[in-house]
Amino acid sequence: MKLHEYQAKEVFADAGIPVPESRLASSVDEVVEAVGEIGFPAAIKAQVHVGGRGKAGGIEIVGSEEEAREAAESILGMDLKGYTVERVLVEAGVDFVDELYVGVTMDRAAGEPVAMVSTEGGVDIETVAEETPEAIAREHIDPAFGMHPFQSRKVVYDAGVEQQFAGDVSSILRTLFTLYENSDASEIEVNPVMITADDDVIAADAVMNIDEDALFRQPELSEMAEASYENDFERKAGEYGFDYVRLSGNVGIIGNGAGLVMTTLDLVDYYGGAPANFLDIGGGAKAERVANALDMVFSDENVDSVVFNIFGGITRGDEVAKGINEALSQFDEIPKPVTVRLAGTNAEEGMEILNTDLVTVEKTLESAVQRAVADAEEVNE
Amino acid sequence: MSILVDDDTRVVVQGITGGEGNFHAEQMIEYGTNVVAGAVPGKGGQTAAGVPVYDTVEEAAIEEDADASVIFVPSAFAGDAIFEALDAPLDLAVAITEGVPTQDMAKVNKRLSEVDTRLIGPNCPGIITPGEAKLGILPGNIFSDGNVGLVSRSGTLTYQVVDNLTNRGIGQTTAVGIGGDPIIGTSFVDALELFEEDDETEAVVMCGEIGGEDEEEAAKFIGEHMDTPVAGFIAGRTAPPGKRMGHAGAIVSGSGTGTAESKIEALNDAGVPVGDTPEEVADHVESFL
């Protein structure tokens, strides 16, 4: 779960990390009022869950009320990589002389958190990581002991931060690590940490991603969660609780288990079709969930045929068959041809229940996928 | 022969009084697994699935001489349940639970480096030695006894590939589902090492997916240390960058690492043929035997 910049900055400020003065605004008038209080220069920053806001025109620096009004008019309501901007953060501009990157994330290969500092801040840090990895100093942190103060100093010195600012940067890093642990973050970073003309060290941006599996013990952060969807399909999938990704093809895919569903997508492609989506109904799905999955895929107008690929372990074939029957019996005419392949736990019981007047049954994964691809082609002829 | 589990393995089920734990304990017993006890705090003295329940894993291990556990404990308590299995101590713990917080797993992972217990999972289907024992939720009827080892990050993909093997008469020594999370106990390399040492395993299937670099590391290990032939499969060739495809681990960062292409290339370089379909994987395995 991603926090918005304004939310992450509240968390930072509460923890004692210095951040610029700011106001949240959702209308042009509110922006004008905010700059009146904060003064100039000010930054107007779109609050949406996408990276690279600056490059995409979602951040503007303004020097007058007139500029603030113009920036507010252009940013509020704009489409930023699929998301509509409904709010902006109006923030005091910082007169800076240097920009640093400071972050903590999980190194999955090492199975340990890693603290990172770079003097190449203020730019796309992923590009830095790829092209000049040596420009980012790293220190692995033992999850049992947490971060020792010497470790935060070490990584700051390794990064080449000037001695004069090392104490302040190191202190920010240590607070970030404490937040990382206490808030079950998967990623926490500041890019840039600015060194100002007055020799202050200040967090000018804030990124916090929280591990969704740990939200049960993060009630305050859970309240900050705002459902954020790129489109109506994602919204619907969120409401149904599916792992769903919409793709550009026309063969709808429903299956159980991420690995098997991905494999089904790959086979659709392999047999000359194009997958319309990834939809994993998860383990142990009951009939209603199966019906919801069909509703989900039918509602995508790009879909010309649907393939159901179920290999039951914890999921039971009879439950899946019931769900398919229930969903399809509502229609006078089935909107798109459906091919079903059922294997594993209670597959035989499922096949007995399944209404084969409504669907095509195939015995193997390969034949089911080929059938669905052929059905989709037929629609387009 | 087999790796890690056989009909001598004495199993305790953590969470045996819960819905999933109870159902699958019965399934495991029906399959022939030597389930000797359950462990659930506050339920000591009861009986579930026909075996005695203890309050602690340690007590179950001492009283029933258990050496392995299967964990069906809700995600909020799963990290603690794994620590308890390591502390008992048991030789093997299999964590089926999905959705275990990553920072809990980082702590578990650290502890694992200090003890002798082997952990499989979490978020995995478990492990099965056909005809002898299954620890987990795998559908026993699709497996058959034979000489091919299988290791996979995905449960349902394991079932699919096993089905393709069994249908043409190729049986398995042991199949291990290692789980799809970013931090897991047993890695591909760990499982491959065990299969390499197992005399009866004549070929191995490794099923990977996009995300992380575990498959690349496995490829390196195969190239340098394995004589047993390996066939591979990688799920997620058509996955778009930056999107999470179900498994916590199954995401391509967009920076070129963790993609299906990089994994397939690494495996091919190590002499591992990678099938385009599960059926093709079975073709490769057949050619090895």
Side-chain angles (χ1 to χ4, degrees), chain A residues 225-246:
Chain A
E226 286 171 27
S228 164
Y229 302 112
E230 205 164 328
N231 51 53
D232 289 344
F233 293 103
E234 288 192 1
R235 187 178 306 277
K236 200 167 184 171
E239 284 163 8
Y240 282 147
F242 288 130
D243 278 322
Y244 170 89
V245 179
R246 193 184 188 208

Side-chain angles (χ1 to χ4, degrees), chain B residues 210-212 236 239-245 249-260:
Chain B
I210 53 167
K243 292 285 185 185
R244 174 170 158 163
M245 304 292 257
I251 187 164
V252 179
S253 66
S255 63
T257 57
T259 62

